[in-house]
Amino acid sequence: MPIGESVKSPQPVAPPPAPPARPPQRRRLKLLLAPLLGLSLVLHGLLLLAPAPSSRPAPQTETEDTAEDEFVDLLSIGTLSRPEPETVSPPPEAAPPPPAATAPPPPSQPIAPTRSPNPPAAAPIATDTPPPPEPAFTAEPEPATAAVPDEEVVEIFTRLSRGSGESDFDSTATSFPAIAYLIPQGIAAWSPQDQACFFTQIDDATYSTQPSVVSLRYLTRNVQLIEEQDIPRTFPPPQYQVNRVADGYCNRPLFQVVREGQPYLFISLVGIGVGASGQQASGLVLIWADDPRAG
Protein backbone atom coordinates (compact mmCIF):
# COMPACT_ATOMS: atom_id res chain seq x y z
CA MET A 1 0.00 0.00 0.00
CA PRO A 2 1.42 3.47 -0.82
CA ILE A 3 2.19 5.67 1.99
CA GLY A 4 -0.25 8.45 2.60
CA GLU A 5 -3.37 6.52 1.61
CA SER A 6 -5.98 6.25 4.20
CA VAL A 7 -7.04 2.92 5.50
CA LYS A 8 -10.71 2.19 4.78
CA SER A 9 -12.71 0.18 7.22
CA PRO A 10 -14.34 -2.99 5.80
CA GLN A 11 -17.93 -2.72 4.83
CA PRO A 12 -20.41 -5.24 6.19
CA VAL A 13 -21.47 -8.04 3.80
CA ALA A 14 -25.19 -8.74 3.48
CA PRO A 15 -26.39 -12.41 4.16
CA PRO A 16 -27.81 -14.46 1.20
CA PRO A 17 -31.49 -14.26 0.69
CA ALA A 18 -33.44 -17.15 2.33
CA PRO A 19 -35.15 -19.61 -0.05
CA PRO A 20 -38.83 -19.15 -0.47
CA ALA A 21 -40.84 -21.39 1.87
CA ARG A 22 -42.89 -24.20 0.20
CA PRO A 23 -46.52 -24.14 0.77
CA PRO A 24 -47.65 -26.82 3.26
CA GLN A 25 -50.44 -28.11 0.95
CA ARG A 26 -48.03 -29.87 -1.42
CA ARG A 27 -46.48 -31.83 1.41
CA ARG A 28 -49.89 -33.07 2.50
CA LEU A 29 -50.74 -34.22 -1.01
CA LYS A 30 -47.51 -36.23 -1.24
CA LEU A 31 -48.18 -37.88 2.08
CA LEU A 32 -51.66 -38.92 0.88
CA LEU A 33 -50.61 -40.12 -2.57
CA ALA A 34 -47.73 -42.35 -1.39
CA PRO A 35 -49.89 -45.08 0.30
CA LEU A 36 -52.41 -44.98 -2.55
CA LEU A 37 -49.71 -45.76 -5.06
CA GLY A 38 -48.50 -48.64 -2.90
CA LEU A 39 -52.01 -50.10 -2.68
CA SER A 40 -52.53 -49.82 -6.42
CA LEU A 41 -49.27 -51.67 -7.08
CA VAL A 42 -50.28 -54.47 -4.68
CA LEU A 43 -53.71 -54.82 -6.30
CA HIS A 44 -52.19 -54.98 -9.79
CA GLY A 45 -49.78 -57.67 -8.63
CA LEU A 46 -52.62 -59.75 -7.15
CA LEU A 47 -54.60 -59.47 -10.36
CA LEU A 48 -51.63 -60.68 -12.36
CA LEU A 49 -51.09 -63.66 -10.03
CA ALA A 50 -54.75 -64.71 -9.99
CA PRO A 51 -55.44 -67.94 -12.10
CA ALA A 52 -57.28 -67.58 -15.32
CA PRO A 53 -60.87 -68.90 -15.25
CA SER A 54 -60.21 -71.51 -17.94
CA SER A 55 -60.64 -74.68 -15.75
CA ARG A 56 -64.43 -74.63 -15.64
CA PRO A 57 -65.09 -76.82 -18.71
CA ALA A 58 -62.76 -79.59 -17.34
CA PRO A 59 -65.21 -80.94 -14.76
CA GLN A 60 -67.89 -81.10 -17.44
CA THR A 61 -65.77 -83.44 -19.55
CA GLU A 62 -64.99 -85.58 -16.47
CA THR A 63 -68.65 -85.92 -15.61
CA GLU A 64 -69.39 -86.83 -19.20
CA ASP A 65 -66.64 -89.45 -19.17
CA THR A 66 -67.87 -90.92 -15.91
CA ALA A 67 -71.38 -90.96 -17.25
CA GLU A 68 -70.18 -92.80 -20.33
CA ASP A 69 -68.22 -95.24 -18.17
CA GLU A 70 -71.22 -95.90 -15.99
CA PHE A 71 -73.31 -96.46 -19.05
CA VAL A 72 -70.80 -98.95 -20.40
CA ASP A 73 -70.63 -100.73 -17.03
CA LEU A 74 -74.37 -101.10 -16.98
CA LEU A 75 -74.31 -102.61 -20.43
CA SER A 76 -71.53 -105.01 -19.48
CA ILE A 77 -73.40 -106.02 -16.32
CA GLY A 78 -76.48 -106.64 -18.37
CA THR A 79 -74.56 -108.86 -20.74
CA LEU A 80 -72.95 -110.76 -17.88
CA SER A 81 -76.22 -111.34 -16.07
CA ARG A 82 -77.84 -112.88 -19.14
CA PRO A 83 -75.54 -115.92 -19.47
CA GLU A 84 -76.00 -116.78 -15.76
CA PRO A 85 -79.55 -118.11 -16.18
CA GLU A 86 -78.42 -119.83 -19.38
CA THR A 87 -75.68 -121.77 -17.54
CA VAL A 88 -78.25 -123.33 -15.19
CA SER A 89 -79.18 -126.62 -16.75
CA PRO A 90 -82.33 -127.98 -15.13
CA PRO A 91 -83.73 -129.06 -18.54
CA PRO A 92 -81.00 -131.72 -19.11
CA GLU A 93 -81.84 -133.16 -15.67
CA ALA A 94 -85.49 -133.27 -16.67
CA ALA A 95 -84.47 -135.21 -19.82
CA PRO A 96 -84.32 -138.59 -17.99
CA PRO A 97 -88.13 -138.72 -17.52
CA PRO A 98 -88.67 -139.49 -21.26
CA PRO A 99 -86.91 -142.89 -20.92
CA ALA A 100 -89.25 -143.53 -17.97
CA ALA A 101 -92.10 -143.00 -20.39
CA THR A 102 -90.74 -145.92 -22.38
CA ALA A 103 -91.35 -148.14 -19.32
CA PRO A 104 -94.97 -148.94 -20.28
CA PRO A 105 -93.88 -152.01 -22.31
CA PRO A 106 -92.82 -153.94 -19.13
CA PRO A 107 -96.39 -154.08 -17.72
CA SER A 108 -97.33 -156.18 -20.74
CA GLN A 109 -94.83 -158.80 -19.62
CA PRO A 110 -95.86 -160.86 -16.58
CA ILE A 111 -92.19 -161.61 -15.78
CA ALA A 112 -91.69 -158.19 -14.11
CA PRO A 113 -93.51 -159.17 -10.85
CA THR A 114 -91.42 -162.32 -10.58
CA ARG A 115 -88.20 -160.23 -10.61
CA SER A 116 -89.17 -158.26 -7.49
CA PRO A 117 -88.83 -161.22 -5.08
CA ASN A 118 -85.37 -162.05 -6.48
CA PRO A 119 -83.61 -158.99 -4.92
CA PRO A 120 -84.69 -159.91 -1.38
CA ALA A 121 -83.30 -163.39 -1.97
CA ALA A 122 -79.91 -161.81 -2.83
CA ALA A 123 -79.98 -159.77 0.38
CA PRO A 124 -79.77 -162.78 2.74
CA ILE A 125 -76.91 -164.13 0.65
CA ALA A 126 -75.02 -160.86 1.24
CA THR A 127 -75.66 -161.18 4.96
CA ASP A 128 -74.35 -164.74 4.94
CA THR A 129 -71.03 -163.68 3.36
CA PRO A 130 -69.83 -161.31 6.15
CA PRO A 131 -69.91 -163.97 8.93
CA PRO A 132 -67.08 -166.11 7.45
CA PRO A 133 -64.47 -163.31 7.62
CA GLU A 134 -65.46 -162.54 11.21
CA PRO A 135 -64.39 -165.92 12.62
CA ALA A 136 -61.23 -165.70 10.50
CA PHE A 137 -60.29 -162.43 12.24
CA THR A 138 -61.07 -163.82 15.65
CA ALA A 139 -59.02 -166.93 14.95
CA GLU A 140 -55.89 -164.87 14.16
CA PRO A 141 -55.63 -163.09 17.52
CA GLU A 142 -56.29 -166.28 19.49
CA PRO A 143 -52.86 -167.86 18.96
CA ALA A 144 -51.20 -164.43 18.91
CA THR A 145 -52.60 -163.39 22.29
CA ALA A 146 -50.78 -166.05 24.25
CA ALA A 147 -51.09 -164.39 27.62
CA VAL A 148 -47.96 -164.62 29.73
CA PRO A 149 -48.72 -164.50 33.47
CA ASP A 150 -46.95 -161.82 35.44
CA GLU A 151 -45.27 -164.43 37.63
CA GLU A 152 -43.70 -166.06 34.57
CA VAL A 153 -42.53 -162.67 33.29
CA VAL A 154 -40.81 -161.94 36.59
CA GLU A 155 -39.19 -165.38 36.56
CA ILE A 156 -38.02 -164.93 32.98
CA PHE A 157 -36.36 -161.59 33.68
CA THR A 158 -34.83 -162.91 36.87
CA ARG A 159 -33.11 -165.69 34.92
CA LEU A 160 -32.22 -163.27 32.12
CA SER A 161 -30.64 -160.57 34.29
CA ARG A 162 -28.36 -162.89 36.30
CA GLY A 163 -25.21 -164.12 34.63
CA SER A 164 -22.22 -166.02 35.89
CA GLY A 165 -21.69 -165.55 39.62
CA GLU A 166 -25.34 -164.47 40.06
CA SER A 167 -24.46 -160.90 38.96
CA ASP A 168 -27.51 -158.75 38.49
CA PHE A 169 -27.33 -156.63 35.30
CA ASP A 170 -30.87 -155.26 35.66
CA SER A 171 -30.64 -151.43 35.77
CA THR A 172 -34.24 -150.71 34.82
CA ALA A 173 -35.22 -149.16 38.15
CA THR A 174 -32.17 -146.88 38.36
CA SER A 175 -31.29 -146.01 34.75
CA PHE A 176 -34.42 -146.25 32.61
CA PRO A 177 -35.53 -144.19 30.86
CA ALA A 178 -33.21 -141.34 31.90
CA ILE A 179 -29.78 -142.90 31.28
CA ALA A 180 -30.86 -145.03 28.34
CA TYR A 181 -32.45 -141.96 26.72
CA LEU A 182 -29.70 -139.38 27.28
CA ILE A 183 -26.43 -141.31 26.82
CA PRO A 184 -24.57 -140.86 23.51
CA GLN A 185 -26.32 -142.85 20.75
CA GLY A 186 -29.13 -143.51 23.22
CA ILE A 187 -32.85 -143.60 22.55
CA ALA A 188 -32.94 -139.81 22.03
CA ALA A 189 -30.72 -140.29 18.96
CA TRP A 190 -33.16 -142.73 17.36
CA SER A 191 -35.39 -141.59 14.55
CA PRO A 192 -39.08 -141.05 15.39
CA GLN A 193 -39.90 -144.15 13.33
CA ASP A 194 -37.52 -146.32 15.36
CA GLN A 195 -38.91 -145.00 18.63
CA ALA A 196 -42.46 -145.71 17.43
CA CYS A 197 -41.51 -149.35 16.81
CA PHE A 198 -41.30 -149.95 20.58
CA PHE A 199 -42.84 -146.91 22.33
CA THR A 200 -45.92 -144.80 21.88
CA GLN A 201 -44.17 -142.05 23.89
CA ILE A 202 -40.76 -141.72 25.54
CA ASP A 203 -38.49 -139.02 26.96
CA ASP A 204 -35.93 -138.81 29.74
CA ALA A 205 -38.62 -138.97 32.44
CA THR A 206 -41.57 -141.05 31.23
CA TYR A 207 -42.40 -143.65 28.60
CA SER A 208 -45.21 -145.91 27.39
CA THR A 209 -44.66 -149.05 25.33
CA GLN A 210 -46.64 -150.46 22.45
CA PRO A 211 -49.78 -152.35 23.60
CA SER A 212 -48.33 -155.77 22.69
CA VAL A 213 -45.25 -155.30 24.91
CA VAL A 214 -45.63 -157.40 28.08
CA SER A 215 -42.63 -155.89 29.89
CA LEU A 216 -39.07 -154.66 29.34
CA ARG A 217 -35.70 -154.61 31.10
CA TYR A 218 -32.68 -152.36 30.64
CA LEU A 219 -29.51 -154.47 31.14
CA THR A 220 -26.07 -152.89 31.56
CA ARG A 221 -24.42 -155.83 29.82
CA ASN A 222 -22.81 -156.31 26.42
CA VAL A 223 -25.52 -156.96 23.84
CA GLN A 224 -23.56 -159.79 22.25
CA LEU A 225 -23.39 -161.61 25.60
CA ILE A 226 -27.11 -161.13 26.14
CA GLU A 227 -27.83 -162.76 22.77
CA GLU A 228 -25.30 -165.60 22.99
CA GLN A 229 -25.49 -166.45 26.71
CA ASP A 230 -28.37 -164.90 28.63
CA ILE A 231 -31.29 -165.61 26.28
CA PRO A 232 -30.32 -169.32 25.68
CA ARG A 233 -29.79 -169.79 29.44
CA THR A 234 -33.17 -168.21 30.21
CA PHE A 235 -35.03 -170.57 27.84
CA PRO A 236 -33.18 -173.93 28.04
CA PRO A 237 -34.13 -176.95 25.92
CA PRO A 238 -35.94 -179.26 25.62
CA GLN A 239 -38.86 -177.36 27.16
CA TYR A 240 -38.07 -174.20 25.21
CA GLN A 241 -36.83 -173.55 21.71
CA VAL A 242 -35.45 -170.12 20.68
CA ASN A 243 -35.54 -169.24 16.98
CA ARG A 244 -34.03 -166.03 15.62
CA VAL A 245 -36.28 -164.36 13.04
CA ALA A 246 -34.33 -163.84 9.82
CA ASP A 247 -35.33 -160.23 9.03
CA GLY A 248 -35.71 -159.13 12.64
CA TYR A 249 -37.93 -156.22 13.62
CA CYS A 250 -37.12 -152.56 12.94
CA ASN A 251 -33.50 -153.48 12.11
CA ARG A 252 -33.07 -155.08 15.56
CA PRO A 253 -32.80 -158.79 16.46
CA LEU A 254 -36.12 -160.56 17.07
CA PHE A 255 -36.46 -164.03 18.63
CA GLN A 256 -39.46 -166.36 18.80
CA VAL A 257 -39.69 -168.60 21.85
CA VAL A 258 -41.60 -171.88 21.52
CA ARG A 259 -42.60 -173.80 24.65
CA GLU A 260 -43.42 -177.50 24.31
CA GLY A 261 -44.01 -177.09 20.58
CA GLN A 262 -46.44 -174.12 20.97
CA PRO A 263 -45.74 -170.41 20.26
CA TYR A 264 -44.98 -168.79 23.58
CA LEU A 265 -43.65 -165.22 23.13
CA PHE A 266 -41.32 -162.95 21.13
CA ILE A 267 -38.21 -161.11 22.36
CA SER A 268 -36.65 -157.94 20.90
CA LEU A 269 -33.03 -157.15 21.72
CA VAL A 270 -32.10 -153.49 21.19
CA GLY A 271 -28.54 -152.23 21.66
CA ILE A 272 -28.15 -148.83 23.36
CA GLY A 273 -25.12 -146.57 23.61
CA VAL A 274 -21.79 -146.24 21.82
CA GLY A 275 -20.48 -149.23 19.92
CA ALA A 276 -20.92 -151.25 16.75
CA SER A 277 -24.30 -152.84 16.08
CA GLY A 278 -24.70 -155.86 18.35
CA GLN A 279 -21.77 -154.87 20.57
CA GLN A 280 -23.11 -151.97 22.60
CA ALA A 281 -22.34 -151.93 26.31
CA SER A 282 -26.03 -152.03 27.29
CA GLY A 283 -29.19 -153.44 25.83
CA LEU A 284 -32.95 -153.21 26.08
CA VAL A 285 -34.90 -156.50 26.20
CA LEU A 286 -38.63 -156.35 25.38
CA ILE A 287 -41.08 -159.26 25.65
CA TRP A 288 -43.96 -159.29 23.15
CA ALA A 289 -47.16 -161.24 23.66
CA ASP A 290 -47.42 -161.72 19.88
CA ASP A 291 -45.41 -161.07 16.75
CA PRO A 292 -44.76 -157.28 16.55
CA ARG A 293 -44.47 -157.46 12.78
CA ALA A 294 -48.16 -158.35 12.51
CA GLY A 295 -49.20 -155.05 14.08
Side-chain angles (χ1 to χ4, degrees):
M1 172 185 298
I3 300 171
E5 288 183 2
S6 60
V7 178
K8 294 180 181 181
S9 60
Q11 296 179 1
V13 180
R22 295 180 181 179
Q25 293 180 353
R26 293 181 180 179
R27 293 180 180 178
R28 291 178 182 177
L29 289 174
K30 290 181 179 181
L31 293 174
L32 291 174
L33 292 175
L36 293 175
L37 289 173
L39 288 174
S40 63
L41 291 174
V42 172
L43 291 175
H44 283 292
L46 292 175
L47 290 174
L48 293 173
L49 294 175
S54 61
S55 59
R56 293 180 181 178
Q60 295 178 358
T61 56
E62 290 178 0
T63 54
E64 292 177 359
D65 294 339
T66 53
E68 291 177 0
D69 293 340
E70 292 178 356
F71 182 74
V72 173
D73 292 340
L74 292 174
L75 291 177
S76 61
I77 292 169
T79 54
L80 291 174
S81 60
R82 292 177 183 176
E84 290 179 356
E86 294 177 357
T87 53
V88 181
S89 57
E93 295 178 355
T102 58
S108 62
Q109 298 177 355
I111 302 169
T114 58
R115 292 179 182 175
S116 57
N118 292 336
I125 295 169
T127 54
D128 295 337
T129 52
E134 291 177 357
F137 288 111
T138 54
E140 291 179 357
E142 286 176 0
T145 55
V148 182
D150 295 339
E151 297 178 356
E152 293 186 13
V153 173
V154 173
E155 183 181 356
I156 290 170
F157 280 121
T158 301
R159 297 195 306 266
L160 179 68
S161 60
R162 294 186 180 276
S164 59
E166 297 297 321
S167 299
D168 192 352
F169 302 104
D170 189 355
S171 301
T172 308
T174 58
S175 303
F176 194 83
I179 302 300
Y181 188 85
L182 297 175
I183 61 174
Q185 297 184 14
I187 299 175
W190 296 2
S191 65
Q193 293 78 9
D194 288 344
Q195 292 182 8
C197 289
F198 307 99
F199 303 95
T200 56
Q201 178 274 331
I202 186 169
D203 54 30
D204 60 345
T206 60
Y207 71 94
S208 58
T209 60
Q210 290 293 340
S212 184
V213 175
V214 177
S215 185
L216 63 81
R217 291 294 186 277
Y218 177 59
L219 307 182
T220 53
R221 179 169 168 80
N222 185 275
V223 176
Q224 185 176 1
L225 297 178
I226 296 174
E227 178 180 354
E228 296 177 356
Q229 298 179 10
D230 297 341
I231 292 178
R233 185 187 66 252
T234 304
F235 302 98
Q239 183 182 4
Y240 299 97
Q241 182 180 356
V242 180
N243 301 320
R244 178 165 181 168
V245 180
D247 297 334
Y249 172 67
C250 288
N251 299 321
R252 272 83 173 182
L254 179 66
F255 304 90
Q256 182 182 17
V257 179
V258 179
R259 184 174 66 174
E260 297 178 354
Q262 298 296 326
Y264 183 43
L265 52 81
F266 288 83
I267 297 177
S268 284
L269 179 58
V270 183
I272 296 177
V274 179
S277 178
Q279 297 180 1
Q280 291 94 330
S282 60
L284 187 65
V285 180
L286 299 96
I287 291 182
W288 302 84
D290 51 12
D291 191 346
R293 299 171 300 171

